[in-house]
Short mmCIF file of all heavy atoms in Angstrom, two decimals:
data_model
loop_
_atom_site.label_atom_id
_atom_site.label_comp_id
_atom_site.label_asym_id
_atom_site.label_seq_id
_atom_site.Cartn_x
_atom_site.Cartn_y
_atom_site.Cartn_z
N VAL S 1 1.64 -44.87 16.57
CA VAL S 1 0.25 -44.56 16.16
C VAL S 1 0.35 -43.78 14.85
O VAL S 1 0.73 -42.59 14.85
CB VAL S 1 -0.46 -43.71 17.24
CG1 VAL S 1 -1.86 -43.38 16.79
CG2 VAL S 1 -0.48 -44.46 18.58
N PRO S 2 0.09 -44.40 13.73
CA PRO S 2 0.23 -43.73 12.43
C PRO S 2 -0.64 -42.47 12.33
O PRO S 2 -1.79 -42.48 12.71
CB PRO S 2 -0.24 -44.77 11.42
CG PRO S 2 -0.07 -46.07 12.10
CD PRO S 2 -0.37 -45.81 13.57
N MET S 3 -0.04 -41.38 11.85
CA MET S 3 -0.76 -40.12 11.70
C MET S 3 -1.53 -40.11 10.37
O MET S 3 -1.43 -41.03 9.57
CB MET S 3 0.23 -38.96 11.74
CG MET S 3 1.04 -38.91 13.02
SD MET S 3 -0.02 -38.74 14.49
CE MET S 3 -0.74 -37.13 14.21
N GLU S 4 -2.31 -39.06 10.19
CA GLU S 4 -3.19 -38.95 9.01
C GLU S 4 -2.41 -39.09 7.69
O GLU S 4 -2.87 -39.76 6.77
CB GLU S 4 -3.93 -37.62 9.04
CG GLU S 4 -4.90 -37.44 7.88
CD GLU S 4 -5.65 -36.12 7.96
OE1 GLU S 4 -5.50 -35.41 8.97
OE2 GLU S 4 -6.36 -35.79 6.99
N GLU S 5 -1.25 -38.43 7.63
CA GLU S 5 -0.49 -38.47 6.38
C GLU S 5 -0.04 -39.89 6.05
O GLU S 5 -0.06 -40.31 4.90
CB GLU S 5 0.72 -37.55 6.49
CG GLU S 5 1.45 -37.28 5.18
CD GLU S 5 0.59 -36.50 4.18
OE1 GLU S 5 -0.21 -35.64 4.64
OE2 GLU S 5 0.71 -36.75 2.98
N ALA S 6 0.36 -40.62 7.09
CA ALA S 6 0.78 -42.01 6.87
C ALA S 6 -0.39 -42.86 6.41
O ALA S 6 -0.24 -43.75 5.56
CB ALA S 6 1.39 -42.58 8.14
N ARG S 7 -1.57 -42.59 6.95
CA ARG S 7 -2.77 -43.35 6.56
C ARG S 7 -3.19 -43.06 5.13
O ARG S 7 -3.72 -43.93 4.44
CB ARG S 7 -3.91 -43.06 7.53
CG ARG S 7 -3.65 -43.60 8.92
CD ARG S 7 -4.88 -43.47 9.81
NE ARG S 7 -4.62 -44.06 11.09
CZ ARG S 7 -4.59 -45.35 11.35
NH1 ARG S 7 -4.82 -46.20 10.36
NH2 ARG S 7 -4.35 -45.81 12.55
N LYS S 8 -2.97 -41.80 4.69
CA LYS S 8 -3.30 -41.47 3.31
C LYS S 8 -2.43 -42.29 2.34
O LYS S 8 -2.88 -42.75 1.30
CB LYS S 8 -3.05 -39.99 3.06
CG LYS S 8 -4.09 -39.08 3.69
CD LYS S 8 -3.76 -37.62 3.39
CE LYS S 8 -4.77 -36.67 4.04
NZ LYS S 8 -4.42 -35.24 3.78
N LEU S 9 -1.16 -42.46 2.72
CA LEU S 9 -0.24 -43.22 1.87
C LEU S 9 -0.46 -44.69 1.96
O LEU S 9 -0.19 -45.44 0.99
CB LEU S 9 1.21 -42.89 2.27
CG LEU S 9 1.63 -41.42 2.05
CD1 LEU S 9 3.02 -41.18 2.64
CD2 LEU S 9 1.62 -41.07 0.56
N ASN S 10 -0.94 -45.18 3.11
CA ASN S 10 -1.18 -46.60 3.30
C ASN S 10 -2.42 -46.80 4.17
O ASN S 10 -2.34 -46.93 5.38
CB ASN S 10 0.03 -47.27 3.97
CG ASN S 10 -0.11 -48.78 4.05
OD1 ASN S 10 -1.15 -49.33 3.67
ND2 ASN S 10 0.89 -49.43 4.59
N PRO S 11 -3.62 -46.80 3.57
CA PRO S 11 -4.88 -46.93 4.32
C PRO S 11 -4.96 -48.23 5.12
O PRO S 11 -5.78 -48.33 6.03
CB PRO S 11 -5.94 -46.89 3.22
CG PRO S 11 -5.29 -46.20 2.07
CD PRO S 11 -3.85 -46.63 2.13
N ALA S 12 -4.17 -49.24 4.78
CA ALA S 12 -4.25 -50.52 5.47
C ALA S 12 -3.52 -50.54 6.82
O ALA S 12 -3.56 -51.53 7.53
CB ALA S 12 -3.66 -51.61 4.59
N LEU S 13 -2.86 -49.43 7.19
CA LEU S 13 -2.14 -49.39 8.44
C LEU S 13 -3.08 -49.62 9.63
O LEU S 13 -4.20 -49.07 9.65
CB LEU S 13 -1.44 -48.04 8.62
CG LEU S 13 -0.18 -47.80 7.80
CD1 LEU S 13 0.29 -46.34 7.93
CD2 LEU S 13 0.95 -48.74 8.26
N PRO S 14 -2.65 -50.37 10.64
CA PRO S 14 -3.46 -50.54 11.84
C PRO S 14 -3.49 -49.25 12.66
O PRO S 14 -2.70 -48.35 12.42
CB PRO S 14 -2.74 -51.67 12.60
CG PRO S 14 -1.33 -51.55 12.13
CD PRO S 14 -1.39 -51.11 10.69
N LYS S 15 -4.39 -49.16 13.59
CA LYS S 15 -4.47 -47.96 14.43
C LYS S 15 -3.22 -47.82 15.30
O LYS S 15 -2.77 -46.71 15.57
CB LYS S 15 -5.72 -48.04 15.34
CG LYS S 15 -7.03 -47.92 14.56
CD LYS S 15 -8.22 -47.92 15.52
CE LYS S 15 -9.51 -47.74 14.74
NZ LYS S 15 -10.69 -47.76 15.65
N VAL S 16 -2.68 -48.96 15.75
CA VAL S 16 -1.49 -48.94 16.59
C VAL S 16 -0.57 -50.07 16.15
O VAL S 16 -1.03 -51.19 15.91
CB VAL S 16 -1.81 -49.12 18.08
CG1 VAL S 16 -0.52 -49.10 18.90
CG2 VAL S 16 -2.76 -48.05 18.57
N VAL S 17 0.73 -49.77 16.02
CA VAL S 17 1.73 -50.78 15.80
C VAL S 17 2.53 -50.88 17.09
O VAL S 17 3.19 -49.94 17.49
CB VAL S 17 2.68 -50.42 14.62
CG1 VAL S 17 3.70 -51.52 14.44
CG2 VAL S 17 1.87 -50.24 13.33
N TYR S 18 2.41 -52.00 17.76
CA TYR S 18 3.04 -52.14 19.07
C TYR S 18 4.55 -52.34 18.97
O TYR S 18 5.07 -52.78 17.94
CB TYR S 18 2.39 -53.30 19.84
CG TYR S 18 0.96 -53.02 20.18
CD1 TYR S 18 -0.07 -53.55 19.44
CD2 TYR S 18 0.63 -52.15 21.22
CE1 TYR S 18 -1.41 -53.26 19.73
CE2 TYR S 18 -0.68 -51.85 21.53
CZ TYR S 18 -1.71 -52.42 20.76
OH TYR S 18 -3.01 -52.11 21.05
N GLY S 19 5.28 -51.89 20.00
CA GLY S 19 6.71 -51.94 20.01
C GLY S 19 7.26 -53.32 19.74
O GLY S 19 6.72 -54.30 20.23
N GLY S 20 8.31 -53.40 18.96
CA GLY S 20 8.92 -54.67 18.63
C GLY S 20 9.70 -54.58 17.35
O GLY S 20 9.86 -53.51 16.76
N PRO S 21 10.18 -55.71 16.86
CA PRO S 21 11.07 -55.71 15.69
C PRO S 21 10.41 -55.26 14.39
O PRO S 21 11.09 -54.88 13.45
CB PRO S 21 11.54 -57.18 15.61
CG PRO S 21 10.53 -57.96 16.36
CD PRO S 21 10.05 -57.06 17.46
N GLU S 22 9.08 -55.29 14.31
CA GLU S 22 8.38 -54.87 13.10
C GLU S 22 7.88 -53.44 13.20
O GLU S 22 7.19 -52.96 12.26
CB GLU S 22 7.25 -55.83 12.77
CG GLU S 22 7.71 -57.25 12.50
CD GLU S 22 6.58 -58.20 12.12
OE1 GLU S 22 5.42 -57.71 12.04
OE2 GLU S 22 6.87 -59.37 11.91
N ASN S 23 8.18 -52.76 14.28
CA ASN S 23 7.72 -51.39 14.46
C ASN S 23 8.66 -50.42 13.75
O ASN S 23 9.86 -50.46 13.96
CB ASN S 23 7.65 -51.06 15.95
CG ASN S 23 6.96 -49.74 16.23
OD1 ASN S 23 7.34 -48.72 15.71
ND2 ASN S 23 5.96 -49.79 17.08
N PRO S 24 8.14 -49.52 12.94
CA PRO S 24 9.00 -48.55 12.22
C PRO S 24 9.81 -47.63 13.13
O PRO S 24 10.81 -47.03 12.65
CB PRO S 24 8.02 -47.75 11.36
CG PRO S 24 6.83 -48.64 11.22
CD PRO S 24 6.73 -49.38 12.51
N LEU S 25 9.40 -47.47 14.38
CA LEU S 25 10.16 -46.60 15.30
C LEU S 25 11.39 -47.26 15.89
O LEU S 25 12.21 -46.61 16.53
CB LEU S 25 9.25 -46.08 16.42
CG LEU S 25 8.06 -45.22 16.02
CD1 LEU S 25 7.35 -44.68 17.27
CD2 LEU S 25 8.47 -44.10 15.10
N GLY S 26 11.51 -48.56 15.70
CA GLY S 26 12.70 -49.25 16.16
C GLY S 26 12.84 -49.32 17.67
O GLY S 26 11.85 -49.37 18.40
N ALA S 27 14.09 -49.29 18.12
CA ALA S 27 14.40 -49.60 19.54
C ALA S 27 14.11 -48.45 20.50
O ALA S 27 13.90 -48.70 21.69
CB ALA S 27 15.87 -50.01 19.64
N ARG S 28 14.18 -47.22 20.02
CA ARG S 28 13.98 -46.06 20.93
C ARG S 28 13.34 -44.92 20.13
O ARG S 28 13.47 -44.85 18.91
CB ARG S 28 15.33 -45.56 21.47
CG ARG S 28 16.14 -46.56 22.27
CD ARG S 28 15.57 -46.85 23.63
NE ARG S 28 16.47 -47.61 24.45
CZ ARG S 28 16.54 -48.95 24.45
NH1 ARG S 28 15.79 -49.66 23.63
NH2 ARG S 28 17.41 -49.57 25.25
N ALA S 29 12.69 -44.01 20.88
CA ALA S 29 12.14 -42.82 20.25
C ALA S 29 12.30 -41.63 21.20
O ALA S 29 12.09 -41.77 22.41
CB ALA S 29 10.68 -43.00 19.87
N LEU S 30 12.69 -40.50 20.62
CA LEU S 30 12.75 -39.24 21.33
C LEU S 30 11.73 -38.31 20.66
O LEU S 30 11.73 -38.13 19.44
CB LEU S 30 14.15 -38.62 21.22
CG LEU S 30 15.33 -39.50 21.68
CD1 LEU S 30 16.65 -38.86 21.32
CD2 LEU S 30 15.25 -39.72 23.18
N TYR S 31 10.85 -37.71 21.46
CA TYR S 31 9.70 -36.96 20.96
C TYR S 31 9.97 -35.47 21.02
O TYR S 31 10.27 -34.94 22.10
CB TYR S 31 8.43 -37.32 21.74
CG TYR S 31 8.06 -38.78 21.61
CD1 TYR S 31 8.80 -39.78 22.25
CD2 TYR S 31 6.98 -39.15 20.82
CE1 TYR S 31 8.43 -41.13 22.13
CE2 TYR S 31 6.62 -40.51 20.67
CZ TYR S 31 7.36 -41.48 21.34
OH TYR S 31 7.04 -42.80 21.18
#
């Protein structure tokens, strides 16, 4: 889920990028 700062840099970002090969978070995430 792109945060505000990411949206400022790229307003065309979707609200959610679903998990998969095109997701910037890749295969795993630790929060």
